[in-house]
Every structure is written in structure tokens, then in C-alpha cells.
Amino acid sequence: MNTQSTVQGTTKPVIVTVQQHILSEQRRHSPQATGTFSWLLSGITLATKMTESRVRRAGLLDVIGAAGNVNVQGEAQQKLDVYADDALVHCLGIRDNVAIIASEENEQAIAFDGRSGPGKYVVVFDPLDGSSNIDVNVSVGTIFSVLRMPEDLRESDDPAQAVLQPGVKQLAAGYVVYGSSTIMVYSTGHGVHGFTLDPSIGAYVLSHEDIRMPEQGKYYSSNDAYWDTFPQAYQDYLSYLRRGELGRSYALRYIGSLVADFHRTLLRGGVFLYPPTDANPQGKLRLLYEANPVAFIAQQAGGYATDGHQNILDIVPQDIHQRTPLIVGGKSEMEAFERFMKRDELAGSLAG
Ligand code: AHM
Ligand code: MG
């Protein structure tokens, strides 16, 4: 931890918890803030601590394996998927400033009502990303995105309408990786900060202040098993990286949990891609609670994300579980990717 304080002439490291950090950020950037936003984020941190304690004991408790249900994506729900979802729904449901939530595990958005005042926020989340990896001790995570509740939709009968906002409207986004340690990374639009869970005190403590994505990294990350079904421009781009033509030779890293693959890309640089494939022509990842939060954080850290044609944050969603191709990475890799896409579009228009 870098933060130091001088107490009576001695220099001591200061422990900054995620709550303290959020409050001091609010004081700095929005002095008129009422603190309701930090109250909302404390609901998310509490739910992730509940989930992390289950993940840590996954081999001991009866929490591994399928829950016997299939979610809206047609995927078998794991018991921990259900637990993580319940934890977030519960912890956000008792925050009276949350108006609406939407989750990967629930087909419909959920509106909360009957409490003290009108909720100001909409929260969208993937409660347990990469959950097919749990049974084999591979990192999983939670991803979330916070939006403002649109005033003109307060009377709407359809809570999904409030959720269907482009990523550029996010007030905050973040994720937690339950990995070799548990880390929460979040941004409220003023840089990206990481907090490692200290299990001895049960608090997320500032460990990575103002994270910047390296302009160029040395890894690309995509599921090479689907190579033959990637569009030609993606194959050409990846071959170019593999041949070292972007100035360094790239190695492949692919975990199969977006949060873990993205976290590595954020810290080490490089590029993560989930292209359109034969099995998933629209891409596999979900726009609202996977691609948008990741894109918001990448952009805050000096990188960016596209769907191959436009910035992820500009896509206007039509459906809360909509999928999208996702390409996210550092500046050099993303600019090179866009050159390949432009060349492909030009070749297409000349041929057509
Ligand atoms: P999910 O576990 O929330 O359904 O997430 C989907 C996961 C992502 O974490 C990961 O990037 C991707 O699916 C891996 O897909 P594949 O196995 O096709 O490579
Ligand atoms: Mg997911």
C-alpha cells in the first residue's frame, strides 16, 4: 500500500478500506453528494464477501455442482450461481436507494418498492462469472454496473426499460475476482482502483491505486479452439500478433472466466477477444453486465473496448440479456485491431 501518514513524526502506512475510499472520492468529486452511493456500494461489497466465503469453502460445503435449474441463457445453474445471485438481490434489496436490478440469473429485471423513498439507482450484475470453473478450482468473479434511475421511467410498468441504457451512462462499474486472493476493482469515472480482501479483518483494503493499463502488453486472450469459426479479420489480426509484427511476440493466456482474463489484461496489458463464432454469431458475452462494466473500466484505465464495429459503451441495448462480441485491451493492440477491421470493411465494400 502506498498511502503513508505522518503521526507525531513517524511515517506509518494507512489502511484505506473501500468504504473510506468511496467516501473520500465523493468528497473530492461531488461535495454535494449525500452518501447514498457509498451505501449502495457497501451492499455490493457485503454480497461479494458472502459469496467469497462460500467460494473459499467450495470443496467442503455442499455447494459444488449443478442446482438443477437452467438460467435464461439456457445454461445449467450452479449452486454457487444461485447463492451469489441471492446474496446480491438480498443485499441490494435492503438498500432503499436501489430502484431496479437485473441479473444474469433472472430473466426479468426486478423493481423494488414500498420503501422510504424513490430509489436513485439501477444495478445490473453477473453474480458469478465463469461458474463452470468452480468445480476445478479456477478463478471466478462477480461483475456489476451502476446506472441512474431515469426519472421519466418511474411510472413505467416495465422495469427492463430503465436497465436498457448504453454503457456510456454508467455511474460506476466494477468486479471482484475470487482468485489466489480476492480483489475488488471499481471505477466511478475517476480512475480505476483495486482493493484486496484482507481475510483477517474482513475488509477490502486499497492495494492498487489508480490502475493504468499498459499501452502494449505481451498476451492475447481468446478461445483458440474456435479459431476456424472466427471471422477472417480476427484470424488475420491474431496471426499478426502471433508473428510478432506489432513489435513483440505475443503469448496466449486464456482462463475461460472473463473477470480473470480481463483482470490480467488490465494489469499486464494485451488484448482479450470473444469474437462472433459459428456457435455464437452475436458473440457470447452479455452486453449489460459483462461487456459494459469491463469496457468502462478499460476506458478509465487508458484502454478501450469494441464489438468490432463500435465502442462497446455506445451500443444502445435492446434486451437485458443481449450478447455482443467483445474485444478489449490496451491502446496499441486495440488500434491494430481496428486497422484490421477497417481493412476488412474496405475490402468488403470494394468487392460488393
Ligand atoms: P458465465 O459463467 O457468466 O456464463 O460467463 C461466460 C464465460 C465467461 O466468463 C468467459 O469469458 C466465457 O464464458 C468463456 O467461454 P468459452 O468457454 O466459450 O471460451
Ligand atoms: Mg459471466
Side-chain angles (χ1 to χ4, degrees):
M1 201 177 327
N2 333 341
T3 317
Q4 306 276 318
S5 82
T6 304
V7 181
Q8 292 180 337
T10 59
T11 304
K12 281 187 167 177
V14 173
I15 291 179
V16 180
T17 66
V18 69
Q19 297 309 330
Q20 289 167 322
H21 194 267
I22 292 163
L23 285 170
S24 71
E25 270 217 325
Q26 278 194 330
R27 266 184 232 118
R28 189 143 40 108
H29 301 293
S30 1
Q32 72 294 354
T34 56
T36 55
F37 187 65
S38 59
W39 177 232
L40 159 74
L41 281 184
S42 76
I44 297 177
T45 55
L46 175 60
T48 63
K49 286 186 220 172
M50 291 164 67
T51 300
E52 110 94 26
S53 92
R54 287 286 169 120
V55 170
R56 292 282 167 244
R57 299 168 69 204
L60 302 170
L61 302 177
D62 182 27
V63 293
I64 286 182
N69 316 320
V70 170
N71 72 9
V72 61
Q73 326 286 339
E75 299 153 344
Q77 282 184 319
Q78 303 292 308
K79 289 179 194 165
L80 267 168
D81 279 326
V82 176
Y83 182 86
D85 188 53
D86 286 350
L88 273 161
V89 173
H90 173 75
C91 291
L92 291 172
I94 55 175
R95 293 317 194 244
D96 53 7
N97 50 9
V98 180
I100 290 172
I101 60 170
S103 160
E104 175 177 346
E105 300 304 329
N106 298 303
E107 188 164 3
Q108 309 289 345
I110 302 171
F112 294 123
D113 53 22
R115 287 157 316 129
S116 52
K120 283 164 65 174
Y121 301 110
V122 173
V123 187
V124 193
F125 49 86
D126 179 354
L128 204 66
D129 177 59
S131 53
S132 64
N133 281 323
I134 291 171
D135 295 2
V136 289
N137 276 45
V138 172
S139 299
V140 292
T142 296
I143 317 178
F144 62 90
S145 161
V146 182
L147 299 152
R148 191 176 301 289
M149 175 67 201
E151 283 304 322
D152 57 336
L153 294 176
R154 285 210 181 278
E155 305 306 322
S156 167
D157 294 335
D158 179 10
Q161 291 311 314
V163 178
L164 298 177
Q165 303 186 45
V168 70
K169 298 253 174 110
Q170 290 171 103
L171 300 174
Y175 62 83
V176 174
V177 185
Y178 311 108
S180 50
S181 61
T182 295
I183 185 166
M184 163 173 272
V185 173
Y186 89 98
S187 176
T188 56
H190 303 286
V192 178
H193 310 289
F195 300 80
T196 301
L197 184 65
D198 180 339
S200 63
I201 56 172
Y204 284 105
V205 174
L206 182 62
S207 53
H208 297 66
E209 194 164 19
D210 199 14
I211 299 171
R212 303 298 299 167
M213 196 182 274
E215 268 199 28
Q216 185 170 10
K218 58 178 184 180
Y219 300 128
Y220 76 91
S221 185
S222 68
N223 191 333
D224 264 19
Y226 310 141
W227 176 277
D228 291 343
T229 81
F230 290 169
Q232 189 62 45
Y234 288 75
Q235 294 184 6
D236 293 345
Y237 170 67
L238 289 170
S239 299
Y240 166 86
L241 293 185
R242 287 173 173 195
R243 289 194 301 266
E245 291 179 25
L246 193 57
R248 60 178 59 162
S249 59
Y250 279 75
L252 165 66
R253 293 284 186 277
Y254 190 72
I255 296 166
S257 288
L258 171 66
V259 273
D261 280 314
F262 175 69
H263 187 60
R264 183 198 53 253
T265 307
L266 179 69
L267 296 185
R268 296 273 181 267
V271 60
F272 170 91
L273 309 93
Y274 206 110
T277 61
D278 281 358
N280 290 293
Q282 309 304 322
K284 179 182 178 190
L285 300 174
R286 277 51 66 114
L287 175 62
L288 286 171
Y289 41 81
E290 294 182 321
N292 270 345
V294 155
F296 185 81
I297 289 170
Q299 200 148 308
Q300 281 293 314
Y304 59 98
T306 89
D307 68 350
H309 301 288
Q310 62 177 325
N311 191 308
I312 287 285
L313 298 177
D314 292 332
I315 301 172
V316 179
Q318 307 295 321
D319 183 278
I320 60 177
H321 299 291
Q322 169 173 341
R323 296 177 192 263
T324 178
L326 173 66
I327 304 88
V328 58
K331 200 161 170 284
S332 300
E333 288 88 357
M334 293 304 294
E335 286 176 356
F337 174 74
E338 294 198 306
R339 286 197 294 277
F340 276 84
M341 292 305 285
K342 285 213 178 83
R343 201 181 297 170
D344 189 62
E345 278 164 23
L346 190 62
S349 64
L350 289 175

